Amino acid sequence: MAHLMQMNSTDKLWKDLTFDLIALGVFEEPELTKLGQEVDLAIGGQITSAIANGDIKGKAKETTIFFAADYRVLVVGLGKKEKFDFEVVRRASATVTRMAIEKKYANLALEVFGSDVSASQALAEGVIMGSYQFLNYKKEDEDQFELVSAVALNADAAGIEKGSKIGVAVCLARDLGNHPGNVATPTYLANTAADIAKEGGMKLTVLDREEFTEMGMGALAGVAQGSDEPPKFILLEYHGGGTEKPVVLVGKGLTFDSGGISIKPGAKMDEMKYDMCGSALVLGVMKAVAVLKPRLNVVAAIPSTENMSGAKAYKPGDILTAYNGKTIEILNTDAEGRLILADALAYVSKHFDPEFIFDFATLTGAVLITLGHIATGILGTDDELLDRVKKAAMVTGEKFWELPLWDEYCEHVKSKIADLKNMGKTRQAGTIAGAAFLKEFVGKDIPWVHFDIAGTAWSDEEVPYNVKKTASGAVVRTVLEVMGV
Ligand code: BES
Ligand code: MN
Ligand code: ZN
């Protein structure tokens, strides 16, 4: 849990605070804010000189540091004024925390960049997300350093508090993703759900192998057969909205995906510890719901198991029967995510009368080929709901791209001997085939969007608020935005 647990705000004057680093923002064609002018005066006009002689240009990612007797000043570039938005603020505040970690400055003060108090939430999100490190297993590293405090000046206190809580929820999703498969087991996910349930006054139900098999979840049971690690079907219910229909969130909790009998190649197989990032995302959202307590009803469902090749493992050619009675011919045991989600989607469709369903899964390698690590693939049955996701993304700065779910593609997952088969045509439209399969398990007329996060759940892209090659916690913020939290 190596990240700031909160950002604070203060009405005090900067002169009356103690900090190791104070951060100021400047646009291109730099002009200092009122606070900036005061700090500049206190350090003998160095910032004005640096602007005048062109050392500070205000370009995005630019950082310039000045040294006073007992603190430092960091001037961070915000880019062109016309391009200013919350994402600029998030990236700039995360740039500040990343630099502070690198230089070991523990206590930070930041102005709200762009002098826009409505950006306070984004400022805090960037600070918390940018403070994240995964240090749990670095026992002998003497270089370890964690930030101690961050305070916002001239901010909207409520915005800082909210952004800070959302940032912490994103960090929870990251931690779950980053823990290895021998730690973050289905049991571990269930225990995390229990903590969240307690914090948020939610109802928790955890079904074990025997129970969900008995109930008819033949697809989840089939995948779980190859592993001795106890699988779980986890349900979390939050009631904050009276009699309204609940928002339902389903997350793939595949805690290690070896591919099963259709075993994966060895290279990068370690990354398949991230195959539970859909469930981590859902738990991240529920964590934020637990502390922000919005006036709505939310149900989270997490089918969780390993995909292994033990003696009882399911095999290519097997036929499984899902919770809604549909039969599935298994052609590749590595297409397991859609199977465990099938039962979860059918279960929530039947029991919760959802306002809408979102499911989140590291479902296909194909989405990485299509969109790289930049955007999450989305597909669904309801244009209005898809639009809500796209609109929310404009606020959160996360990227989504819709792929078509036309009838022609839905034919790709029809089987000759069963209702469905668990893969489409080889090397064709793999991400769409995944969604086409899932669609068969979503109740008729329930608006639904599937999020394929296989490219965005972890990343090799450099973003100030993400640490490369570790879990990103992507999409948590956008889901909260769609729900109006
Ligand atoms: N968990 C994988 C998808 C994945 C691959 C995520 C690489 C992130 C990086 C999923 O279970 C899987 O193996 N999908 C197969 C499906 C295929 C067999 C139809 C895939 O994408 O190759
Ligand atoms: Mn797989
Ligand atoms: Zn998988």
Side-chain angles (χ1 to χ4, degrees):
M1 227 195 298
H3 58 83
L4 283 171
M5 294 306 290
Q6 63 179 57
M7 183 177 198
N8 301 309
S9 50
T10 181
D11 294 331
K12 285 194 189 152
L13 298 174
W14 74 280
K15 272 284 181 196
D16 299 330
L17 302 170
T18 49
F19 47 79
D20 302 304
L21 179 79
I22 184 164
L24 308 167
V26 288
F27 289 110
E28 286 183 34
E29 293 163 37
E31 259 172 63
L32 289 172
T33 57
K34 190 166 157 288
L35 174 69
Q37 291 170 14
E38 288 172 24
V39 175
D40 184 43
L41 200 63
I43 61 170
Q46 291 184 70
I47 307 176
T48 334
S49 309
I51 291 172
N53 65 27
D55 282 331
I56 292 179
K57 297 193 175 63
K59 291 202 183 298
K61 294 189 203 164
E62 176 193 87
T63 53
T64 316
I65 199 153
F66 300 90
F67 300 90
D70 47 8
Y71 61 91
R72 297 105 197 136
V73 180
L74 177 63
V75 179
V76 51
L78 303 174
K80 289 198 166 49
K81 209 171 205 162
E82 314 85 77
K83 288 197 165 171
F84 180 77
D85 62 11
F86 291 162
E87 181 66 2
V88 169
V89 173
R90 235 173 254 121
R91 290 180 181 222
S93 63
T95 300
V96 173
T97 44
R98 294 245 76 90
M99 166 160 281
I101 290 170
E102 192 187 315
K103 303 275 186 192
K104 300 191 165 58
Y105 303 145
N107 299 289
L108 317 177
L110 296 89
E111 68 174 347
V112 183
F113 300 135
S115 302
D116 177 358
V117 285
S118 74
S120 296
Q121 181 182 330
L123 184 87
E125 288 170 0
V127 160
I128 305 286
M129 291 193 292
S131 77
Y132 182 81
Q133 307 174 79
F134 187 63
L135 301 174
N136 298 50
Y137 302 94
K138 280 264 181 207
K139 298 298 184 195
E140 291 184 349
D141 188 347
E142 274 151 30
D143 259 4
Q144 279 192 31
F145 172 84
E146 289 179 47
L147 298 178
V148 174
S149 72
V151 62
L153 301 158
N154 307 328
D156 164 33
I160 294 293
E161 194 182 334
K162 185 172 173 189
S164 163
K165 287 179 171 155
I166 291 176
V168 168
V170 172
C171 291
L172 173 90
R174 290 177 179 179
D175 270 341
L176 288 170
N178 287 328
H179 277 299
N182 62 330
V183 173
T185 58
T187 306
Y188 187 95
L189 295 180
N191 291 340
T192 305
D195 294 343
I196 294 169
K198 201 165 164 206
E199 188 169 15
M202 301 178 190
K203 179 178 168 197
L204 173 72
T205 312
V206 180
L207 306 176
D208 64 18
R209 191 193 299 263
E210 231 172 57
E211 290 168 303
F212 65 66
T213 306
E214 172 72 15
M215 286 164 60
M217 295 192 189
L220 172 60
V223 175
Q225 259 168 231
S227 173
D228 278 343
E229 184 63 44
K232 305 283 175 198
F233 183 80
I234 304 162
L235 273 172
L236 256 183
E237 296 168 58
Y238 169 77
H239 290 280
T243 56
E244 279 170 40
K245 289 183 173 190
V247 167
V248 176
L249 311 174
V250 177
K252 174 178 174 184
L254 212 294
T255 59
F256 183 74
D257 183 10
S258 71
I261 297 294
S262 315
I263 196 164
K264 286 182 182 294
K268 292 196 179 180
M269 204 203 269
D270 60 297
E271 291 188 348
M272 285 300 115
K273 70 169 184 174
Y274 292 126
D275 212 18
M276 36 58 70
C277 282
S279 67
L281 186 171
V282 168
L283 289 172
V285 171
M286 295 311 275
K287 166 77 182 180
V289 166
V291 292
L292 292 167
K293 304 208 161 40
R295 299 171 69 86
L296 27 104
N297 297 325
V298 192
V299 173
I302 296 173
S304 183
T305 178
E306 291 182 338
N307 184 22
M308 301 293 278
S309 47
K312 292 185 188 160
Y314 79 135
K315 304 170 289 296
D318 285 359
I319 295 179
L320 305 177
T321 304
Y323 188 73
N324 66 354
K326 293 197 184 182
T327 55
I328 307 160
E329 181 190 11
I330 304 305
L331 290 181
N332 189 318
T333 63
D334 198 10
E336 84 300 334
R338 62 199 69 186
L339 298 172
I340 70 171
L341 289 170
D343 280 334
L345 289 168
Y347 184 89
V348 296
S349 295
K350 181 168 176 194
H351 296 283
F352 291 105
D353 190 18
E355 185 204 331
F356 62 80
I357 301 176
F358 281 168
D359 80 73
F360 310 94
T362 45
L363 203 73
T364 64
V367 81
L368 191 60
I369 309 285
T370 313
L371 300 170
H373 287 292
I374 309 284
T376 295
I378 52 173
L379 305 96
T381 47
D382 188 279
D383 288 339
E384 214 174 297
L385 188 58
L386 283 157
D387 276 345
R388 279 175 72 180
V389 175
K390 293 171 196 169
K391 287 224 174 69
M394 301 213 265
V395 180
T396 61
E398 299 191 297
K399 290 192 161 61
F400 299 86
W401 198 255
E402 187 187 345
L403 300 174
L405 196 44
W406 293 318
D407 291 346
E408 289 86 340
Y409 292 113
C410 295
E411 293 302 315
H412 288 195
V413 292
K414 300 268 162 73
S415 161
K416 285 208 176 75
I417 57 168
D419 296 327
L420 295 162
K421 53 184 179 171
N422 79 331
M423 59 180 293
K425 298 196 176 185
T426 307
R427 298 178 65 82
Q428 286 185 40
T431 303
I432 304 177
F437 181 91
L438 294 176
K439 180 171 163 276
E440 299 290 326
F441 301 90
V442 176
K444 212 172 148 288
D445 301 329
I446 302 173
W448 159 74
V449 175
H450 161 62
F451 294 69
D452 195 330
I453 59 168
T456 48
W458 73 99
S459 169
D460 64 2
E461 294 285 339
E462 195 75 69
V463 180
Y465 54 70
N466 280 345
V467 183
K468 272 207 301 196
K469 303 205 185 224
T470 65
S472 64
V475 189
V476 169
R477 290 185 298 107
T478 300
V479 176
L480 291 167
E481 184 67 31
V482 173
M483 300 192 319
V485 175

PDB file of all heavy atoms in Angstrom, residues 80-100:
ATOM      1  N   LYS A  80      -0.441  24.372 -23.861  1.00  0.00           N
ATOM      2  CA  LYS A  80      -1.185  25.508 -24.419  1.00  0.00           C
ATOM      3  C   LYS A  80      -2.492  25.738 -23.656  1.00  0.00           C
ATOM      4  O   LYS A  80      -3.220  24.790 -23.371  1.00  0.00           O
ATOM      5  CB  LYS A  80      -1.520  25.236 -25.889  1.00  0.00           C
ATOM      6  CG  LYS A  80      -0.319  25.284 -26.803  1.00  0.00           C
ATOM      7  CD  LYS A  80      -0.776  25.460 -28.256  1.00  0.00           C
ATOM      8  CE  LYS A  80       0.343  25.848 -29.200  1.00  0.00           C
ATOM      9  NZ  LYS A  80       1.556  25.023 -29.112  1.00  0.00           N
ATOM     10  N   LYS A  81      -2.778  26.997 -23.387  1.00  0.00           N
ATOM     11  CA  LYS A  81      -3.988  27.351 -22.620  1.00  0.00           C
ATOM     12  C   LYS A  81      -5.253  26.823 -23.300  1.00  0.00           C
ATOM     13  O   LYS A  81      -6.177  26.341 -22.636  1.00  0.00           O
ATOM     14  CB  LYS A  81      -4.079  28.877 -22.491  1.00  0.00           C
ATOM     15  CG  LYS A  81      -4.785  29.343 -21.244  1.00  0.00           C
ATOM     16  CD  LYS A  81      -4.654  30.848 -21.069  1.00  0.00           C
ATOM     17  CE  LYS A  81      -4.785  31.226 -19.617  1.00  0.00           C
ATOM     18  NZ  LYS A  81      -4.255  32.565 -19.351  1.00  0.00           N
ATOM     19  N   GLU A  82      -5.289  26.861 -24.641  1.00  0.00           N
ATOM     20  CA  GLU A  82      -6.485  26.417 -25.378  1.00  0.00           C
ATOM     21  C   GLU A  82      -6.727  24.916 -25.181  1.00  0.00           C
ATOM     22  O   GLU A  82      -7.832  24.435 -25.379  1.00  0.00           O
ATOM     23  CB  GLU A  82      -6.370  26.659 -26.884  1.00  0.00           C
ATOM     24  CG  GLU A  82      -5.856  28.008 -27.315  1.00  0.00           C
ATOM     25  CD  GLU A  82      -4.333  28.084 -27.340  1.00  0.00           C
ATOM     26  OE1 GLU A  82      -3.694  27.567 -28.267  1.00  0.00           O
ATOM     27  OE2 GLU A  82      -3.790  28.689 -26.374  1.00  0.00           O
ATOM     28  N   LYS A  83      -5.669  24.184 -24.853  1.00  0.00           N
ATOM     29  CA  LYS A  83      -5.822  22.725 -24.736  1.00  0.00           C
ATOM     30  C   LYS A  83      -6.040  22.275 -23.293  1.00  0.00           C
ATOM     31  O   LYS A  83      -6.044  21.080 -23.006  1.00  0.00           O
ATOM     32  CB  LYS A  83      -4.575  22.035 -25.290  1.00  0.00           C
ATOM     33  CG  LYS A  83      -4.457  22.108 -26.801  1.00  0.00           C
ATOM     34  CD  LYS A  83      -3.465  21.064 -27.276  1.00  0.00           C
ATOM     35  CE  LYS A  83      -3.589  20.840 -28.765  1.00  0.00           C
ATOM     36  NZ  LYS A  83      -2.508  19.991 -29.269  1.00  0.00           N
ATOM     37  N   PHE A  84      -6.223  23.236 -22.412  1.00  0.00           N
ATOM     38  CA  PHE A  84      -6.352  22.912 -20.992  1.00  0.00           C
ATOM     39  C   PHE A  84      -7.618  22.115 -20.702  1.00  0.00           C
ATOM     40  O   PHE A  84      -8.703  22.448 -21.161  1.00  0.00           O
ATOM     41  CB  PHE A  84      -6.373  24.218 -20.183  1.00  0.00           C
ATOM     42  CG  PHE A  84      -6.510  23.993 -18.702  1.00  0.00           C
ATOM     43  CD1 PHE A  84      -5.417  23.580 -17.961  1.00  0.00           C
ATOM     44  CD2 PHE A  84      -7.720  24.193 -18.059  1.00  0.00           C
ATOM     45  CE1 PHE A  84      -5.525  23.370 -16.592  1.00  0.00           C
ATOM     46  CE2 PHE A  84      -7.839  23.986 -16.682  1.00  0.00           C
ATOM     47  CZ  PHE A  84      -6.744  23.572 -15.959  1.00  0.00           C
ATOM     48  N   ASP A  85      -7.476  21.027 -19.961  1.00  0.00           N
ATOM     49  CA  ASP A  85      -8.634  20.303 -19.428  1.00  0.00           C
ATOM     50  C   ASP A  85      -8.207  19.566 -18.159  1.00  0.00           C
ATOM     51  O   ASP A  85      -7.060  19.685 -17.724  1.00  0.00           O
ATOM     52  CB  ASP A  85      -9.246  19.352 -20.474  1.00  0.00           C
ATOM     53  CG  ASP A  85      -8.265  18.273 -20.925  1.00  0.00           C
ATOM     54  OD1 ASP A  85      -7.200  18.105 -20.306  1.00  0.00           O
ATOM     55  OD2 ASP A  85      -8.582  17.582 -21.919  1.00  0.00           O
ATOM     56  N   PHE A  86      -9.127  18.796 -17.574  1.00  0.00           N
ATOM     57  CA  PHE A  86      -8.813  18.120 -16.306  1.00  0.00           C
ATOM     58  C   PHE A  86      -7.658  17.133 -16.457  1.00  0.00           C
ATOM     59  O   PHE A  86      -6.894  16.912 -15.516  1.00  0.00           O
ATOM     60  CB  PHE A  86     -10.049  17.398 -15.755  1.00  0.00           C
ATOM     61  CG  PHE A  86     -11.132  18.337 -15.287  1.00  0.00           C
ATOM     62  CD1 PHE A  86     -12.436  17.877 -15.123  1.00  0.00           C
ATOM     63  CD2 PHE A  86     -10.865  19.672 -14.997  1.00  0.00           C
ATOM     64  CE1 PHE A  86     -13.445  18.721 -14.673  1.00  0.00           C
ATOM     65  CE2 PHE A  86     -11.863  20.532 -14.564  1.00  0.00           C
ATOM     66  CZ  PHE A  86     -13.155  20.053 -14.407  1.00  0.00           C
ATOM     67  N   GLU A  87      -7.559  16.528 -17.635  1.00  0.00           N
ATOM     68  CA  GLU A  87      -6.486  15.548 -17.837  1.00  0.00           C
ATOM     69  C   GLU A  87      -5.114  16.218 -17.767  1.00  0.00           C
ATOM     70  O   GLU A  87      -4.146  15.622 -17.297  1.00  0.00           O
ATOM     71  CB  GLU A  87      -6.694  14.823 -19.180  1.00  0.00           C
ATOM     72  CG  GLU A  87      -5.669  13.756 -19.512  1.00  0.00           C
ATOM     73  CD  GLU A  87      -5.672  12.521 -18.581  1.00  0.00           C
ATOM     74  OE1 GLU A  87      -6.511  12.449 -17.661  1.00  0.00           O
ATOM     75  OE2 GLU A  87      -4.803  11.662 -18.774  1.00  0.00           O
ATOM     76  N   VAL A  88      -5.042  17.470 -18.212  1.00  0.00           N
ATOM     77  CA  VAL A  88      -3.788  18.233 -18.100  1.00  0.00           C
ATOM     78  C   VAL A  88      -3.421  18.374 -16.619  1.00  0.00           C
ATOM     79  O   VAL A  88      -2.268  18.180 -16.219  1.00  0.00           O
ATOM     80  CB  VAL A  88      -3.936  19.620 -18.760  1.00  0.00           C
ATOM     81  CG1 VAL A  88      -2.753  20.525 -18.414  1.00  0.00           C
ATOM     82  CG2 VAL A  88      -4.084  19.477 -20.270  1.00  0.00           C
ATOM     83  N   VAL A  89      -4.427  18.671 -15.806  1.00  0.00           N
ATOM     84  CA  VAL A  89      -4.203  18.851 -14.365  1.00  0.00           C
ATOM     85  C   VAL A  89      -3.745  17.538 -13.722  1.00  0.00           C
ATOM     86  O   VAL A  89      -2.786  17.492 -12.950  1.00  0.00           O
ATOM     87  CB  VAL A  89      -5.486  19.368 -13.680  1.00  0.00           C
ATOM     88  CG1 VAL A  89      -5.329  19.409 -12.165  1.00  0.00           C
ATOM     89  CG2 VAL A  89      -5.845  20.739 -14.223  1.00  0.00           C
ATOM     90  N   ARG A  90      -4.471  16.442 -14.052  1.00  0.00           N
ATOM     91  CA  ARG A  90      -4.126  15.121 -13.524  1.00  0.00           C
ATOM     92  C   ARG A  90      -2.682  14.753 -13.846  1.00  0.00           C
ATOM     93  O   ARG A  90      -1.921  14.295 -12.999  1.00  0.00           O
ATOM     94  CB  ARG A  90      -5.050  14.102 -14.197  1.00  0.00           C
ATOM     95  CG  ARG A  90      -5.831  13.238 -13.272  1.00  0.00           C
ATOM     96  CD  ARG A  90      -6.825  12.415 -14.072  1.00  0.00           C
ATOM     97  NE  ARG A  90      -8.174  12.901 -13.911  1.00  0.00           N
ATOM     98  CZ  ARG A  90      -8.968  13.324 -14.888  1.00  0.00           C
ATOM     99  NH1 ARG A  90      -8.561  13.327 -16.146  1.00  0.00           N
ATOM    100  NH2 ARG A  90     -10.169  13.769 -14.620  1.00  0.00           N
ATOM    101  N   ARG A  91      -2.311  14.952 -15.092  1.00  0.00           N
ATOM    102  CA  ARG A  91      -0.949  14.578 -15.503  1.00  0.00           C
ATOM    103  C   ARG A  91       0.090  15.462 -14.842  1.00  0.00           C
ATOM    104  O   ARG A  91       1.163  15.003 -14.456  1.00  0.00           O
ATOM    105  CB  ARG A  91      -0.817  14.623 -17.028  1.00  0.00           C
ATOM    106  CG  ARG A  91      -1.604  13.500 -17.670  1.00  0.00           C
ATOM    107  CD  ARG A  91      -1.508  13.497 -19.188  1.00  0.00           C
ATOM    108  NE  ARG A  91      -2.314  12.398 -19.703  1.00  0.00           N
ATOM    109  CZ  ARG A  91      -1.959  11.575 -20.683  1.00  0.00           C
ATOM    110  NH1 ARG A  91      -0.812  11.750 -21.298  1.00  0.00           N
ATOM    111  NH2 ARG A  91      -2.737  10.597 -21.050  1.00  0.00           N
ATOM    112  N   ALA A  92      -0.237  16.761 -14.710  1.00  0.00           N
ATOM    113  CA  ALA A  92       0.722  17.686 -14.106  1.00  0.00           C
ATOM    114  C   ALA A  92       0.896  17.371 -12.615  1.00  0.00           C
ATOM    115  O   ALA A  92       2.021  17.344 -12.108  1.00  0.00           O
ATOM    116  CB  ALA A  92       0.254  19.128 -14.300  1.00  0.00           C
ATOM    117  N   SER A  93      -0.208  17.097 -11.921  1.00  0.00           N
ATOM    118  CA  SER A  93      -0.057  16.835 -10.476  1.00  0.00           C
ATOM    119  C   SER A  93       0.640  15.498 -10.247  1.00  0.00           C
ATOM    120  O   SER A  93       1.408  15.343  -9.298  1.00  0.00           O
ATOM    121  CB  SER A  93      -1.403  16.917  -9.746  1.00  0.00           C
ATOM    122  OG  SER A  93      -2.308  15.946 -10.194  1.00  0.00           O
ATOM    123  N   ALA A  94       0.404  14.534 -11.149  1.00  0.00           N
ATOM    124  CA  ALA A  94       1.115  13.255 -11.031  1.00  0.00           C
ATOM    125  C   ALA A  94       2.598  13.439 -11.354  1.00  0.00           C
ATOM    126  O   ALA A  94       3.459  12.782 -10.753  1.00  0.00           O
ATOM    127  CB  ALA A  94       0.499  12.215 -11.960  1.00  0.00           C
ATOM    128  N   THR A  95       2.906  14.330 -12.273  1.00  0.00           N
ATOM    129  CA  THR A  95       4.307  14.629 -12.576  1.00  0.00           C
ATOM    130  C   THR A  95       5.006  15.150 -11.319  1.00  0.00           C
ATOM    131  O   THR A  95       6.150  14.795 -11.033  1.00  0.00           O
ATOM    132  CB  THR A  95       4.397  15.684 -13.709  1.00  0.00           C
ATOM    133  OG1 THR A  95       3.745  15.146 -14.867  1.00  0.00           O
ATOM    134  CG2 THR A  95       5.836  16.015 -14.048  1.00  0.00           C
ATOM    135  N   VAL A  96       4.283  15.963 -10.561  1.00  0.00           N
ATOM    136  CA  VAL A  96       4.842  16.506  -9.318  1.00  0.00           C
ATOM    137  C   VAL A  96       5.146  15.375  -8.331  1.00  0.00           C
ATOM    138  O   VAL A  96       6.249  15.296  -7.769  1.00  0.00           O
ATOM    139  CB  VAL A  96       3.871  17.527  -8.676  1.00  0.00           C
ATOM    140  CG1 VAL A  96       4.379  17.962  -7.306  1.00  0.00           C
ATOM    141  CG2 VAL A  96       3.676  18.727  -9.587  1.00  0.00           C
ATOM    142  N   THR A  97       4.182  14.474  -8.126  1.00  0.00           N
ATOM    143  CA  THR A  97       4.417  13.407  -7.138  1.00  0.00           C
ATOM    144  C   THR A  97       5.520  12.451  -7.604  1.00  0.00           C
ATOM    145  O   THR A  97       6.329  12.012  -6.805  1.00  0.00           O
ATOM    146  CB  THR A  97       3.131  12.624  -6.788  1.00  0.00           C
ATOM    147  OG1 THR A  97       2.405  12.337  -7.966  1.00  0.00           O
ATOM    148  CG2 THR A  97       2.249  13.428  -5.861  1.00  0.00           C
ATOM    149  N   ARG A  98       5.554  12.170  -8.895  1.00  0.00           N
ATOM    150  CA  ARG A  98       6.612  11.264  -9.382  1.00  0.00           C
ATOM    151  C   ARG A  98       7.992  11.881  -9.176  1.00  0.00           C
ATOM    152  O   ARG A  98       8.934  11.214  -8.772  1.00  0.00           O
ATOM    153  CB  ARG A  98       6.408  10.926 -10.862  1.00  0.00           C
ATOM    154  CG  ARG A  98       5.171  10.119 -11.135  1.00  0.00           C
ATOM    155  CD  ARG A  98       5.460   8.713 -11.666  1.00  0.00           C
ATOM    156  NE  ARG A  98       5.912   7.791 -10.647  1.00  0.00           N
ATOM    157  CZ  ARG A  98       5.120   7.016  -9.901  1.00  0.00           C
ATOM    158  NH1 ARG A  98       3.825   7.041 -10.048  1.00  0.00           N
ATOM    159  NH2 ARG A  98       5.625   6.199  -9.003  1.00  0.00           N
ATOM    160  N   MET A  99       8.096  13.162  -9.449  1.00  0.00           N
ATOM    161  CA  MET A  99       9.391  13.815  -9.259  1.00  0.00           C
ATOM    162  C   MET A  99       9.748  13.869  -7.767  1.00  0.00           C
ATOM    163  O   MET A  99      10.900  13.649  -7.393  1.00  0.00           O
ATOM    164  CB  MET A  99       9.377  15.218  -9.847  1.00  0.00           C
ATOM    165  CG  MET A  99      10.571  16.026  -9.366  1.00  0.00           C
ATOM    166  SD  MET A  99      10.935  17.429 -10.394  1.00  0.00           S
ATOM    167  CE  MET A  99      11.772  16.693 -11.753  1.00  0.00           C
ATOM    168  N   ALA A 100       8.744  14.118  -6.932  1.00  0.00           N
ATOM    169  CA  ALA A 100       8.993  14.173  -5.486  1.00  0.00           C
ATOM    170  C   ALA A 100       9.502  12.826  -4.977  1.00  0.00           C
ATOM    171  O   ALA A 100      10.397  12.764  -4.131  1.00  0.00           O
ATOM    172  CB  ALA A 100       7.723  14.585  -4.750  1.00  0.00           C
TER     173      ALA A 100
END
